[in-house]
Amino acid sequence: MKNPIRFGLNIDHVATLRNARGGRHPDPLRAAQVAKQSGVDSITIHLREDRRHIRDSDLLRLKDFCGLPLNLEMAATDEMLHIALKVLPHAVCLVPEKREELTTEGGIDIFSMQDRLKRMLSKLNEAGIRTALFINPDVLQVHAAAEVGAKAVELHTGRYCDAEEVDLRLEELKRLQEAARATTMRNIECHAGHGIAFDTVVDVAAIAEVQELNIGHFIIGEAIFSGLENTLKQMRHLMDKARV
Ligand code: PXP
């Protein structure tokens, strides 16, 4: 394939299900191992401040045994920086985090925390970790991400995926396309994710600048009906088809 796209699987919600009953089942590590055999390129986890799904022990087991590059989503806090520099995952994506939110609601506002981000990104870059900032699809935020030292941005696709009206959906898709184009001007990688499902993956994967998609909730939910391996293979197929 001329312009391949990487598939990152977010396994937070395997841990959500496990934690609903305590104990060890279902095990996020087992999900990562199935992912490895089903066309997935990397594993994403979000270690939240309240540890509501992924726990510190999951991070350590996945880093050592999942067999795929590990992408750690985390808030821009000193606690998380300390953990990332100790564990050294392949990649870190800095996300905004509110205790009361159900999921990451929007992108990080780089302008309101430039100094903190600069300091954190420089330490993570120095440690050889690939850095990304999760941002709304906004050209100004892409430029700001490059200025503070991020090596990639992950564009928040939630508004595009949630849009029910055709006009709104097209408008959101255009915002994603414009932000993606700006990443090439700044020579940083373009990733995308949030809310992606079978019916939305094709348009996002068709944006040529997008190099990686991170998808979680839909896949883990769909796996209840079709199995994890089938669901992953179908998603992989749709992503690849969009690139041809
Ligand atoms: N990317 C980021 C930065 C996220 O915070 C999330 C949600 O944890 C995802 C991707 C995956 O979103 P979803 O679970 O809706 O596919």
Side-chain angles (χ1 to χ4, degrees):
M1 198 183 303
K2 232 165 83 187
N3 183 17
I5 186 166
R6 297 191 300 269
F7 179 5
L9 172 66
N10 180 314
I11 54 172
D12 290 348
H13 296 305
V14 178
T16 302
L17 201 55
R18 174 198 61 194
N19 297 356
R21 278 288 173 96
R24 285 187 295 219
H25 184 79
D27 184 355
L29 178 58
R30 188 167 158 204
Q33 286 161 345
V34 172
K36 193 178 173 202
Q37 295 154 21
S38 312
V40 167
D41 298 302
S42 57
I43 296 297
T44 292
I45 52 174
H46 185 173
L47 185 69
R48 294 187 78 101
E49 184 197 8
D50 61 9
R51 309 300 198 265
R52 69 173 75 150
H53 35 58
I54 293 294
R55 299 172 178 150
D56 299 65
S57 54
D58 293 321
L59 168 61
L60 296 176
R61 283 172 73 233
L62 286 160
K63 165 76 183 16
D64 286 343
F65 302 116
C66 85
L68 287 171
L70 190 64
N71 174 33
L72 175 64
E73 287 175 8
M74 59 182 225
T77 62
D78 290 340
E79 182 206 6
M80 289 298 153
L81 178 64
H82 179 75
I83 291 172
L85 293 176
K86 208 164 96 190
V87 177
L88 297 176
H90 168 74
V92 159
C93 180
L94 296 176
V95 301
E97 191 175 301
K98 287 193 221 123
R99 210 164 237 273
E100 63 282 6
E101 71 189 356
L102 288 177
T103 180
T104 318
E105 283 166 359
I108 211 161
D109 177 21
I110 300 172
F111 297 104
S112 66
M113 51 194 308
Q114 287 183 47
D115 291 344
R116 165 168 285 272
L117 292 175
K118 242 187 216 168
R119 183 176 60 80
M120 283 187 73
L121 289 165
S122 130
K123 290 195 174 147
L124 293 164
N125 286 332
E126 235 170 70
I129 298 170
R130 186 198 71 188
T131 52
L133 295 177
F134 187 49
I135 58 168
N136 290 328
D138 174 341
V139 171
L140 292 179
Q141 295 285 344
V142 173
H143 289 297
E147 294 296 327
V148 293
K151 303 295 179 203
V153 289
E154 179 164 328
L155 303 178
H156 195 314
T157 49
R159 285 178 62 148
Y160 165 71
C161 293
D162 292 346
E164 284 176 9
E165 280 175 37
V166 178
D167 285 356
L168 183 59
R169 194 170 262 221
L170 287 175
E171 202 178 298
E172 290 300 330
L173 186 60
K174 199 162 153 242
R175 292 182 74 208
L176 287 165
Q177 289 163 337
E178 283 170 1
R181 217 167 296 136
T183 62
T184 5
M185 288 183 332
R186 299 308 300 242
N187 205 19
I188 56 176
E189 277 203 14
C190 184
H191 309 162
H194 212 286
I196 293 176
F198 287 153
D199 63 340
T200 43
V201 71
V202 175
D203 281 344
V204 180
I207 302 172
E209 292 86 354
V210 173
Q211 286 158 278
E212 177 176 309
L213 291 183
N214 285 301
I215 314 176
H217 184 264
F218 172 80
I219 288 176
I220 303 306
E222 189 63 18
I224 293 170
F225 306 107
S226 312
L228 185 55
E229 190 177 333
N230 282 339
T231 308
L232 291 169
K233 286 183 171 163
Q234 198 172 337
M235 191 60 92
R236 173 89 256 178
H237 173 72
L238 290 169
M239 285 166 65
D240 290 345
K241 210 168 84 174
R243 298 301 260 212
V244 174

